Amino acid sequence: MTVTIVYPPRERLANLPTPLQPLDRITERFSKPYGGPRIWVKRDDLTESAMSGNKLRKLEFIVAEARRSGADTLITCGGEQSNHCRATALAAAKCGLRAHVLLRQSRPKSKVSDPPDGNLLVDYLAGAKVSLYPLQEYLSRLPELFQEWEQHYLQQGSKALSIPTGGSDGLGVWGYIAGVEELIEDCRREGFSPEHLVCASGSGGTQAGMTLGCQLLGEDAQVTGYAVCDDEGYFVNKVCEDVSDWYRRYPELVPKGFVFNKDPVKVVDEYIGPGYAIATDEIYRAIAMLAQQEGLLLDPVYTGKAFYGMLQDIEKGRYADSDNLVFVHTGGQFGVFPQRDGFKNSWGD
Ligand SMILES: *Cc1c(COP(=O)(O)O)cnc(C)c1O
């Protein structure tokens, strides 16, 4: 049975479909010995070169909503090295919109006057307005900060659309409903149905979109999110909230009688390490290993942690029941460079 998903307006920004590639050397070495599946990678790091990664899929729907509602400014938030803010800054520039990013300052005082690096550098290059807030103020006042800036733009005769962390809500979730529809189609072309889909979870929208998309399509691929912050309970709840928000916003697009099942929302929270955006030697080494074995570059904040965790779980037999697993490479490579010091022990002579 083919199901037709009806989508809201969408601004085409990403180069789609992104490639689906087998990782045969990794499969031979890290999966076959444990009776694990063939590992594939969905190259969503290639959605665009500088706007790269998973956030661009969400932004296709977010930008379209900005246009529909007459907004000329996108306000969003995240860490100083936020991939989402960088992608928003560039997407706004491409679409002739203004971007304003509210960032949680993370550099120590001694480094705040250093030239910006990684994603932060790109935010400035893209002409985004950058407001940096100390951790405490960011955590305690974020909703007010959004309100104050929205008010500011209204007074200037502009209109801003506020986008939550990671673009994850009932609007952004469309990105990975469409993303997983594309992925299932890629797999079909390669002659298989994936039993497992794996991604990194940071704000939950990618996992929410993929899980919801599979259910809308009647596919029973199991989506597993590897948390890079917060715990399992948080993400299960966050995924369900994004789906509820989707129901609320799009009553006319939800298929009649469709009921989201929360049981398949699976989150692994054992590989976060010391905290968000803080990696360990194992993660840095896993990134170097994958670059050496497959020419594939992961990042230390999201994909490196998720991929490392997935390999550990394959070894423990978590995926032993299956033939094909797809790891969704959500991007983030600009995050490698600001963490250059961490890679000191990651390769030999
Ligand atoms: C934001 C991000 C994620 C997490 O996606 P969410 O939808 O926020 O859970 C994963 N990988 C990269 C590289 C990201 O930038």
Side-chain angles (χ1 to χ4, degrees):
M1 190 182 74
T2 48
V3 180
T4 306
I5 298 176
V6 184
Y7 290 94
R10 176 176 184 181
E11 178 101 5
R12 295 284 171 167
L13 295 168
N15 295 313
L16 304 176
T18 57
L20 175 71
Q21 299 166 342
L23 294 178
D24 286 340
R25 264 187 298 279
I26 295 295
T27 301
E28 276 312 308
R29 216 174 125 187
F30 296 99
S31 188
K32 284 281 140 32
Y34 309 102
R38 188 175 191 193
I39 303 171
W40 299 75
V41 61
K42 175 68 168 163
R43 297 292 306 275
D44 277 6
D45 56 319
L46 299 178
T47 45
E48 215 274 356
S49 76
M51 282 183 257
S52 58
N54 60 340
K55 303 308 181 312
L56 194 57
R57 287 193 186 268
K58 307 179 189 187
L59 283 162
E60 291 197 323
F61 293 96
I62 294 167
V63 168
E65 171 58 21
R67 296 214 193 275
R68 192 200 60 77
S69 66
D72 56 10
T73 301
L74 304 178
I75 308 179
T76 194
C77 66
E80 211 173 81
Q81 285 300 331
S82 165
N83 296 310
H84 163 67
C85 290
R86 174 259 308 161
T88 303
L90 290 164
K94 180 174 166 90
C95 297
L97 303 169
R98 184 191 294 121
H100 187 164
V101 296
L102 316 180
L103 302 181
R104 189 174 69 236
Q105 213 158 33
S106 62
R107 284 180 296 180
K109 274 214 176 64
S110 60
K111 302 236 164 147
V112 284
S113 52
D114 286 0
D117 198 351
N119 286 305
L120 181 59
L121 171 60
V122 181
D123 293 340
Y124 285 111
L125 289 176
K129 180 172 169 64
V130 175
S131 300
L132 285 157
Y133 296 96
L135 179 67
Q136 274 319 318
E137 182 179 6
Y138 183 93
L139 292 179
S140 61
R141 294 196 62 239
L142 190 60
E144 289 93 324
L145 293 173
F146 270 108
Q147 276 169 14
E148 286 165 17
W149 284 115
E150 276 176 28
Q151 216 40 49
H152 167 86
Y153 287 111
L154 271 181
Q155 280 160 7
Q156 293 196 340
S158 284
K159 185 174 175 200
L161 176 73
S162 285
I163 306 168
T165 307
S168 292
D169 60 7
L171 166 60
V173 91
W174 285 109
Y176 272 87
I177 295 175
V180 87
E181 183 170 27
E182 177 187 307
L183 171 53
I184 296 290
E185 184 58 39
D186 298 334
C187 295
R188 199 150 287 148
R189 226 177 297 119
E190 292 285 348
F192 70 93
S193 299
E195 287 101 328
H196 290 284
L197 307 179
V198 169
C199 67
S201 281
S203 62
T206 302
Q207 180 172 2
M210 291 210 291
T211 308
L212 178 55
C214 283
Q215 293 189 22
L216 287 168
L217 293 165
E219 287 287 330
D220 35 64
Q222 171 63 52
V223 178
T224 303
Y226 281 75
V228 301
C229 51
D230 300 299
D231 63 6
E232 179 186 359
Y234 171 85
F235 277 108
V236 171
N237 189 49
K238 180 64 171 48
V239 165
C240 293
E241 267 179 19
D242 287 358
V243 173
S244 302
D245 187 40
W246 172 83
Y247 269 98
R248 263 194 307 278
R249 288 183 188 226
Y250 302 98
E252 74 289 3
L253 298 182
V254 177
K256 242 203 207 85
F258 174 76
V259 179
F260 180 72
N261 177 6
K262 72 190 266 283
D263 296 340
V265 180
K266 289 278 177 292
V267 177
V268 176
D269 63 5
E270 290 151 49
Y271 302 101
I272 299 165
Y276 175 72
I278 306 172
T280 54
D281 258 355
E282 286 109 2
I283 305 301
Y284 293 121
R285 286 208 197 94
I287 292 170
M289 185 278 291
L290 205 67
Q292 290 160 22
Q293 295 283 314
E294 300 276 2
L296 190 68
L297 186 61
L298 302 176
D299 79 289
V301 182
Y302 297 96
T303 56
K305 284 187 181 177
F307 199 91
Y308 171 79
M310 179 190 76
L311 290 184
Q312 297 296 110
D313 281 349
I314 288 174
E315 190 170 333
K316 291 182 194 160
R318 183 179 182 111
Y319 300 105
D321 57 337
S322 57
D323 296 324
N324 291 284
L325 174 155
V326 182
F327 179 84
V328 181
H329 190 334
T330 41
Q333 285 99 338
F334 295 115
V336 165
F337 302 99
Q339 295 205 24
R340 51 177 66 75
D341 291 347
F343 289 96
K344 279 198 285 271
N345 306 316
S346 304
W347 58 86
D349 296 326

